[in-house]
Amino acid sequence: MDVFIDEEYRGKAIGKKLIESITTAEEYRNLFGILGTRDAHGLYEGYEFVKDNGKFMGRTPDFLRN
């Protein structure tokens, strides 16, 4: 799923912090990441997610990227 930040809290980098926490967590670093988003591709591309057929994105595990 896409990250959703309530309008009242947007613009405070909460979404970025959440994605950064997930993608750098030791217990998740070697998992494939797959998500769906309609409009946040730019956010996720900054965390090594790649577009896959429109609204879906994927992230390769660290051990395959290094």
Side-chain angles (χ1 to χ4, degrees):
M1 295 295 300
D2 197 356
V3 170
F4 178 82
I5 306 299
D6 188 273
E7 287 185 34
E8 183 178 341
Y9 298 97
R10 291 182 189 167
K12 299 179 181 186
I14 294 170
K16 290 179 182 179
K17 289 282 189 186
L18 178 59
I19 299 305
E20 182 179 335
S21 294
I22 292 168
T23 58
T24 60
E26 185 66 30
E27 61 267 33
Y28 301 135
R29 63 184 220 116
N30 287 318
L31 297 177
F32 282 95
I34 300 171
L35 61 87
T37 184
R38 279 188 261 156
D39 58 1
H41 295 93
L43 168 67
Y44 296 116
E45 287 170 345
Y47 297 94
E48 301 180 3
F49 281 87
V50 178
K51 287 182 188 178
D52 181 22
N53 290 334
K55 67 179 182 178
F56 291 101
M57 300 187 79
R59 185 174 188 273
T60 303
D62 286 358
F63 76 96
L64 292 176
R65 282 187 280 119
N66 294 328

